[in-house]
């Protein structure tokens, strides 16, 4: 009956100049048997952990059961389609599954935990979106959330961009049921106008994303509610909503609920939201305003700097210095891992061992922390030769640290003395002198456990490094202005998407020609680590007197 009513409504759109040639239907409403046989039509087989945000949802009601997909958007919220939750009394959730029902974790929740959009219309298929509140899960390499697009004043239509859909849906229109192994396919997003030419404007509104389905590849029965993820950003942009009533393999566009149209609704009902990278926090906005003020000095920045710690990063272990190299055991004996804690949470930074009882790191790492656990001699991030935990009373944070301008971003941590070995040893500082090289044009090595890309879900498990060219202060000021990039900052070029990133904060920059510590990882571009903008470090030579006066360490 739904299809007949949709057809009537579609015909009614002729007066608007949009004459549909097909009828849309929810994949769940297409014939599908319970036999396990099928996948996204003509899709590719996923590998374990490839889609850690993909969930399997087995809904039940007094009249039967059905299978849908969903996306983990927080440790206690699932995003799916309203046509999946509609009429259900409960759902069994499968987390981290490659084989459909062989999950790393399962939970069953009742319909009282469903938050179905009140405007959902099963006839026109509008507002096809629901949330499911669940007990909190722990993120792992196989179970992790997918980030939503940031809340902004306007959004791309994504027309012409590529996106990936995944699920356990049917392999063909003739298949007897949903698949046992997770499948995926990459699709081209088409314009709303193109989609309307098939389904009319009543169904294909601006709150819908459609994909082209050539070569009989499409979402299908069993994929309902699953994710559509933009390849360029790795963010969730669609929820599987409808296909052509004539069949998944018919070559007609498939439709998804457009996530950007419901970000306020998601935030209001779950608390889950993201801000734009240019407005990560008020610090960035203030820096931008101050940077603009430097125009009168002839230095007009075209980007905004931000501490790597202040960029979005999750707790899952997955990532490294973007496009870096894997270190070998004992290669960087001075590199330390620092796990900071406070009453409001925890965060990961790097540090450098500069003496048997002193660590040098960034002020933005120690700021707000009550304690730190120090990992010495680790190649695997938390598999250290030695660990120590010290309280904030042992932190010596530069009194001039400014979290808005990112100035004086340097701290010391006093620790119990350690014994030097082949895996745990200090890095020498530059000698105190009357003048110093700017190091412009020289090469230096940064290391750490930071993210592999802007889209990676968290910090790495294995120490990474990369060699960079140091650029002039003047070149760096062109990007961030002279208020942040002073003579006390060193910047590096970041070609080929190689850069320091989240999790590298406070870590070392070591001059290749001398093997001495010249920088402390301080900031990256707010638009992303892979953007090709310079990355900034606190210039150690500008603080040698401060280090000596507060630790006794000098050369």
């Amino acid at each position: 009956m739904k299809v007949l009513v949709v057809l009537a409504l579609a015909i009614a759109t002729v007066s608007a100049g949009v004459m549909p040639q097909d009828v849309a239907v929810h994949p769940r409403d297409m014939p599908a048997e319970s036999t396990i046989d099928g996948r996204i039509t003509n899709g590719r087989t996923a590998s374990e952990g490839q889609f850690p945000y993909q969930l399997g949802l087995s809904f039940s009601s007094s009249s039967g059961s059905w299978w849908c997909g969903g996306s983990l958007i927080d440790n206690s919220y699932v995003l799916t389609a309203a046509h999946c939750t509609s009429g259900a009394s409960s759902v069994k959730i499968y987390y981290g599954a490659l084989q459909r029902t062989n999950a790393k974790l399962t939970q069953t929740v009742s319909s009282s935990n469903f938050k179905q959009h009140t405007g959902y219309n099963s006839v026109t298929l509008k507002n096809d979106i629901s949330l499911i509140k669940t007990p909190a899960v722990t993120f792992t390499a196989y179970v992790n959330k997918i980030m939503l697009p940031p809340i902004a004043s306007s959004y791309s239509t994504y027309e012409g961009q590529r996106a990936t859909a995944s699920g356990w849906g049917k392999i063909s229109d003739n298949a007897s049921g949903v698949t046992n192994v997770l499948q995926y396919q990459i699709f081209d997003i088409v314009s709303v106008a193109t989609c309307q030419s098939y389904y009319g404007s009543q169904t294909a509104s601006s709150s819908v994303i459609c994909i082209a389905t050539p070569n009989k590849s499409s979402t299908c029965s069993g994929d309902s509610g699953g994710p559509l993820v933009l390849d360029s950003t790795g963010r969730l942009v669609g929820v599987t909503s409808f296909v052509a009533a004539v069949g998944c393999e018919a070559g007609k566009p498939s439709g998804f609920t457009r996530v950007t149209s419901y970000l306020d609704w998601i935030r209001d009902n779950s608390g889950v939201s993201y801000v734009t990278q240019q407005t990560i926090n008020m610090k960035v906005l203030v820096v931008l305003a101050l940077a603009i003020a430097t125009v009168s000095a002839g230095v007009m920045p075209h980007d905004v700097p931000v501490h790597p710690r202040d960029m979005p990063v999750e707790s899952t272990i997955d990532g490294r210095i973007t496009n870096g190299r894997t270190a070998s055991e004992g290669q960087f004996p001075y590199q330390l891992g620092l796990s900071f804690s406070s009453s409001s949470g925890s965060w990961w930074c790097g540090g450098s061992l500069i003496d048997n009882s002193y660590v040098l790191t960034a002020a933005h790492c120690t700021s707000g922390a009550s304690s730190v656990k120090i990992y010495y001699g680790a190649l695997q991030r938390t598999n250290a030769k030695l660990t120590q935990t010290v309280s904030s009373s042992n932190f010596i944070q530069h009194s001039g640290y400014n979290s808005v301008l990112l100035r004086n971003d340097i701290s010391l941590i006093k620790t119990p003395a350690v014994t030097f070995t082949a895996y745990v040893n200090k890095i020498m500082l530059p000698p105190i002198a009357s003048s110093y090289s700017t190091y412009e044009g020289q090469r230096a090595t940064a290391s750490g456990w930071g993210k592999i890309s802007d889209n990676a879900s968290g910090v790495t498990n294995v120490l990474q490094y990369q060699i960079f060219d140091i650029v002039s202060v003047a070149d760096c000021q062109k990007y961030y202005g002279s208020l942040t990039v002073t003579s006390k900052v060193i910047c590096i070029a970041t070609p080929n998407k190689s850069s320091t990133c989240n999790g590298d904060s406070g870590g070392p920059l070591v001059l290749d020609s001398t093997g001495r510590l010249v920088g402390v990882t301080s900031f990256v571009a707010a638009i992303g680590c892979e953007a090709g903008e310079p990355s900034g470090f606190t210039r150690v030579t500008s603080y040698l007197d401060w280090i000596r006066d507060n630790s006794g360490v000098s050369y």
Side-chain angles (χ1 to χ4, degrees):
M1 186 64 189
K2 292 178 186 176
V3 176
L4 292 176
V5 175
V6 171
L7 180 58
L9 288 169
I11 292 171
T13 65
V14 176
S15 60
V18 182
M19 176 57 188
Q21 56 174 285
D22 210 337
V23 179
V25 62
H26 290 314
R28 175 188 158 191
D29 292 331
M30 299 187 73
E33 315 308 324
S34 59
T35 304
I36 298 172
D37 177 22
R39 60 177 183 265
I40 279 185
T41 59
N42 296 287
R44 311 175 190 182
T45 300
S47 58
E48 193 165 34
Q50 186 176 359
F51 301 102
Y53 52 82
Q54 172 80 55
L55 304 180
L57 307 177
S58 180
F59 289 93
S60 297
S61 73
S62 58
S63 58
S65 61
W66 55 94
W67 182 269
C68 281
S71 300
L72 186 62
I73 62 167
D74 186 72
N75 67 351
S76 58
Y77 276 98
V78 176
L79 190 67
T80 189
H83 78 266
C84 289
T85 57
S86 182
S89 57
S90 66
V91 63
K92 185 173 183 179
I93 306 171
Y94 295 81
Y95 296 84
L98 179 62
Q99 302 287 325
R100 189 170 66 101
T101 57
N102 185 17
K104 304 296 182 186
L105 168 72
T106 63
Q107 292 179 338
T108 300
V109 299
S110 71
S111 59
S112 62
N113 294 283
F114 300 171
K115 295 182 180 180
Q116 184 172 301
H117 198 290
T118 56
Y120 170 57
N121 188 315
S122 63
V123 174
T124 61
L125 318 187
K126 287 184 177 178
N127 301 309
D128 187 19
I129 193 166
S130 282
L131 287 159
I132 302 172
K133 178 78 168 71
T134 72
V137 297
T138 301
F139 294 148
T140 71
Y142 305 103
V143 179
N144 209 334
K145 70 179 181 179
I146 180 80
M147 292 177 70
L148 306 178
I151 291 178
S153 58
S154 62
Y155 301 93
S156 169
T157 63
Y158 306 124
E159 178 184 346
Q161 297 192 52
R162 308 202 82 190
T164 298
S166 50
W168 288 271
K170 290 172 62 177
I171 187 173
S172 70
D173 290 324
N174 298 324
S176 56
V178 295
T179 188
N180 192 35
V181 183
L182 183 62
Q183 304 291 314
Y184 73 99
Q185 188 55 279
I186 302 169
F187 298 96
D188 290 318
I189 296 173
V190 299
S191 69
V192 172
T194 298
C195 202
Q196 287 177 341
S197 69
Y198 288 87
Y199 305 116
S201 56
Q202 291 282 343
T203 293
S205 69
S206 60
S207 295
V208 165
I209 287 180
C210 288
I211 58 170
T213 61
N215 305 316
K216 296 186 177 182
S217 286
S218 175
T219 48
C220 202
S221 312
D223 293 319
S224 289
L228 182 72
V229 176
L230 200 66
D231 285 4
S232 62
T233 65
R235 299 211 180 199
L236 183 70
V237 295
V239 176
T240 305
S241 180
F242 62 82
V243 294
V246 293
C248 307
E249 296 181 281
K252 314 292 187 182
S254 293
F256 299 76
T257 303
R258 186 182 293 269
V259 171
T260 53
S261 296
Y262 296 91
L263 290 174
D264 289 342
W265 179 85
I266 293 169
R267 179 198 59 204
D268 294 345
N269 286 279
S270 70
V272 178
S273 68
Y274 297 89
V275 294
T276 59
Q277 287 193 320
Q278 285 81 4
T279 56
I280 289 171
N281 52 35
M282 184 55 73
K283 295 176 187 176
V284 176
L285 291 175
V286 174
V287 171
L288 180 58
L290 290 169
I292 291 171
T294 67
V295 176
S296 60
V299 182
M300 177 56 187
H302 63 75
D303 208 339
V304 181
V306 62
H307 290 315
R309 176 188 157 191
D310 291 331
M311 297 185 75
V313 62
E314 316 311 326
S315 59
T316 299
I317 299 171
D318 177 20
R320 61 177 181 267
I321 279 185
T322 59
N323 297 286
R325 312 175 190 182
T326 300
S328 58
E329 193 165 34
Q331 185 176 358
F332 300 102
Y334 52 82
Q335 172 80 55
L336 304 179
L338 306 178
S339 180
F340 288 93
S341 298
S342 74
S343 58
S344 58
S346 60
W347 55 95
W348 181 268
C349 282
S352 300
L353 186 61
I354 62 168
D355 184 72
N356 68 350
S357 57
Y358 276 98
V359 175
L360 190 67
T361 188
H364 78 266
C365 289
T366 57
S367 182
S370 56
S371 66
V372 63
K373 184 173 183 179
I374 306 171
Y375 295 82
Y376 295 83
L379 178 62
Q380 302 286 326
R381 189 170 67 102
T382 56
N383 185 16
K385 304 297 183 185
L386 168 72
T387 62
Q388 293 179 339
T389 300
V390 300
S391 72
S392 59
S393 61
N394 295 282
F395 300 171
I396 305 170
Q397 184 171 302
H398 197 289
S399 59
Y401 170 58
N402 187 314
S403 63
V404 173
L405 298 177
L406 318 187
R407 288 183 178 175
N408 301 310
D409 188 19
I410 193 167
S411 282
L412 287 160
I413 302 173
K414 179 76 169 71
T415 72
V418 297
T419 300
F420 293 149
T421 69
Y423 305 105
V424 179
N425 211 333
K426 69 180 180 180
I427 180 80
M428 293 179 69
L429 305 178
I432 291 179
S434 58
S435 62
Y436 302 94
S437 169
T438 63
Y439 306 124
E440 179 185 344
Q442 297 192 52
R443 308 203 82 191
T445 298
S447 52
W449 289 271
K451 289 172 62 178
I452 188 173
S453 71
D454 290 322
N455 298 325
S457 56
V459 295
T460 188
N461 193 35
V462 182
L463 183 62
Q464 305 290 316
Y465 73 99
Q466 188 55 281
I467 301 169
F468 299 97
D469 291 318
I470 296 173
V471 299
S472 69
V473 170
D475 283 343
C476 201
Q477 286 177 340
K478 293 175 185 176
Y479 290 87
Y480 308 116
S482 56
L483 285 172
T484 292
V485 183
T486 67
S487 60
K488 295 183 177 182
V489 167
I490 287 180
C491 289
I492 57 169
T494 61
N496 305 316
K497 297 186 177 182
S498 286
S499 175
T500 48
C501 202
N502 309 64
D504 293 320
S505 288
L509 182 71
V510 175
L511 200 67
D512 286 4
S513 61
T514 65
R516 299 215 179 196
L517 183 70
V518 295
V520 176
T521 304
S522 180
F523 62 82
V524 294
I527 59 173
C529 307
E530 295 182 283
E533 317 288 2
S535 293
F537 299 76
T538 302
R539 186 182 293 268
V540 171
T541 53
S542 297
Y543 296 90
L544 291 174
D545 289 343
W546 179 85
I547 293 170
R548 179 198 60 205
D549 294 345
N550 285 280
S551 69
V553 178
S554 67
Y555 295 91

